[in-house]
Every structure is written in C-alpha cells, then in structure tokens.
Amino acid sequence: MKVSAQEFTASAAPLPAALPAALADGVFPAGCPSRTVLDHITSKWGVLILLALSEGEQRWSDLRRRAEGISEKMLAQTLKTLERDGLVTRTAQPVIPPRVDYSLTGRGYELSALLVPLVAWAFENADDIIKGQP
Amino acid sequence: MKVSAQEFTASAAPLPAALPAALADGVFPAGCPSRTVLDHITSKWGVLILLALSEGEQRWSDLRRRAEGISEKMLAQTLKTLERDGLVTRTAQPVIPPRVDYSLTGRGYELSALLVPLVAWAFENADDIIKGQP
DNA sequence: CAGGATCCAATCGGATACTG
DNA sequence: CAGTATCCGATTGGATCCTG
C-alpha cells in the first residue's frame, strides 16, 4: 500500500518537533561526528540510493537506473560510504556474470523511514517551489 | 516511529512510508524539479539553517553562531536560495546598525518538521556509525 | 551589524577506458 | 555484469577586503 505525502504530513509529527536536547543553545557543533553522518545521508546521491533501497534489495544495475543520471564512479563511491556507515549491506555472488545485491541494514531502514517522507514532500512541493507559487 | 529490520523482513507488507506513486518503477527522473529542491534542502548548510530557524525567528548573527563553521558567503548564498524557494522569510529593519530577521514560512515550517527528526537521528546515531558499531 | 565582491584552492563529479 | 583507474573540467566554498 502506498501512502501519499499528504496523508503522511497530515497524520504524523504534531508540530513543532524538537531538536536534540544535547544541542546547547541550539548550536550545532562544527567538529561533531553527526556533521559527517549528516553529509553522507543528505548527499546528492546518497538520498536517492537510500530511497531506492527502501523498496527492497536491489542490484547495481537497478540502482543505476533508479538514481537516474548517476555515474558509475559516484554510485560506487556512494555505496562504499553507506556501507562503511553500516547503512547498506553488499552481497556478492561468485557467479559469472557477477551478481551483487545491495540492501538496507536495520539502521539504514530506520533512516529511510525518515528520508522517504522528506523526499515525498520535495516531490509534491517541487513544482510550486520552482515556479515561485505560495 | 521505530521499525526494526526484523519486522521488516518478517512482514513484507507494511512499509513505514512509501515513495510517491508518481515515481514510475521507482525511478527518480533526472530532470525533475524535485531534484533541484532536494539539493537545496539537503545541502550541507541548508539543513542547519532550516534547523536553526525551526526554533523561531533568528538574526544573521544568530544563524552564523548556530550553524557553526559557516562562512558569510555560504550563509548569504544559502539564505537567498531558501528565500527564493519560499521556505524562508527575510525581514530587514531600516535602522542603524541594521537588523535583519529570518524566519520560516509556512512551507518552510512544514519542511522543518520532517527535517528535525532526520537530524536528531543523525545526532543520536553518529557516534556508533563513525566508530563502526552495530 | 549585515552583507557584497573577488580571488583562488580544494573537492566534486562526469567521461572514458579497461578488467575479471 | 559489476565494477576500477585516470584524466580533467566544473563547482564549491573559504579567506580576505570592502561598504552603508
């Protein structure tokens, strides 16, 4: 079953959502590890890869197709970063031709649950935003 | 809302949130306006600015302090982009010294409600992710 | 205080070619 | 099919100086 962004934003997250209490005075520290993590998961291609994998296990070629426009270099680089971060699992089968599957870890799945609504929102609001509509 | 990977693999049906139905075959189109919007709102500094503003109206100097490490150039650039996108409102008072306030629009606030949980998640998981802990 | 303008280094990222 | 390696142009972004 598919849930529209409308339904999601309407039903979830009673406003306002609060920042982590650890952020003293609302200052997001520069050297903080979360800055690095945030950069990874909000990177141009990282978002799209996590998004694609939120629908289940996918092969290299699937990801290339879904994240339309991505180069092989960036796909490899992004996947390695996400794998190092423990968000994505890589499973290679020693067959010819090679077959490699990528899927989300538990933590990656947890993350995608937060990312999907964000992308859905961007998708729904994009036209108005670009056109300058209120 | 937390969903474990176990639940996910066990019951294939209930996803926490689905991709927009308009994404045929899960392909995120390259020329799509949402790509642009997504880049804006997930940009390195855009996230931190929106986050800071989720706590209410802020001055230029407040934003510089909260988004620790940001340069004046990037602050100006990011704010302009967010303003053009109708997510942030700029209010200048013709006094000396100048006073300029920034705040979220309705749409910007709606967005921040999705962004805050994401950042909070990154903040809470960052240490484990960087250390390579499960 | 709140920026604008400019220079330049670093990084990003695409194109291409090659491989097991 | 699923990558790796390399070149190199494009973009990012910080530092610095300037202004009303």
Side-chain angles (χ1 to χ4, degrees), chain A residues 28-111:
Chain A
F28 211 89
C32 185
S34 54
R35 286 279 190 104
T36 306
V37 172
L38 213 48
D39 285 348
H40 291 178
I41 66 181
T42 63
S43 70
K44 179 181 173 65
W45 298 115
V47 173
L48 297 186
I49 297 300
L50 290 167
L51 200 77
L53 291 176
S54 75
E55 293 207 314
E57 191 173 65
Q58 315 250 348
R59 300 180 63 175
W60 167 277
S61 48
D62 294 329
L63 293 174
R64 278 215 73 179
R65 184 174 43 79
R66 288 181 171 236
E68 196 179 282
I70 194 172
S71 66
E72 297 194 332
K73 177 183 172 179
M74 290 315 297
L75 179 54
Q77 194 178 109
T78 305
L79 283 171
K80 277 186 180 172
T81 298
L82 295 178
E83 198 188 350
R84 266 200 309 272
D85 288 348
L87 300 172
V88 164
T89 302
R90 180 183 184 276
T91 314
Q93 294 175 40
V95 297
I96 292 181
R99 180 192 173 103
V100 182
D101 291 292
Y102 293 92
S103 58
L104 295 180
T105 63
R107 178 174 281 149
Y109 189 69
E110 194 181 313
L111 168 61

Side-chain angles (χ1 to χ4, degrees), chain A residues 117-127 129, chain B residues 28 33-34 37-38 41 111 114:
Chain A
L118 184 70
V119 176
W121 183 91
F123 193 78
E124 309 242 329
N125 289 266
D127 287 329
I129 286 177
Chain B
F28 211 88
S34 55
V37 172
L38 213 48
I41 66 181
L111 168 60
L114 301 175

Side-chain angles (χ1 to χ4, degrees), chain B residues 48-116:
Chain B
L48 297 187
I49 297 300
L50 290 168
L51 201 76
L53 290 176
S54 75
E55 294 207 314
E57 191 174 65
Q58 315 249 348
R59 300 180 62 175
W60 166 278
S61 48
D62 293 331
L63 293 174
R64 277 215 73 180
R65 184 173 44 78
R66 287 179 173 238
E68 197 179 280
I70 194 173
S71 67
E72 298 193 334
K73 176 182 174 179
M74 290 315 297
L75 179 54
Q77 194 178 110
T78 306
L79 283 171
K80 276 188 179 171
T81 299
L82 295 177
E83 198 188 351
R84 267 199 309 271
D85 288 348
L87 301 172
V88 164
T89 302
R90 179 181 185 276
T91 313
Q93 294 176 39
V95 297
I96 292 179
R99 179 191 172 105
V100 183
D101 290 291
Y102 293 93
S103 58
L104 294 179
T105 63
R107 178 174 279 149
Y109 194 68
E110 192 181 317
L111 168 60
S112 80
L114 301 175
L115 224 38
V116 167

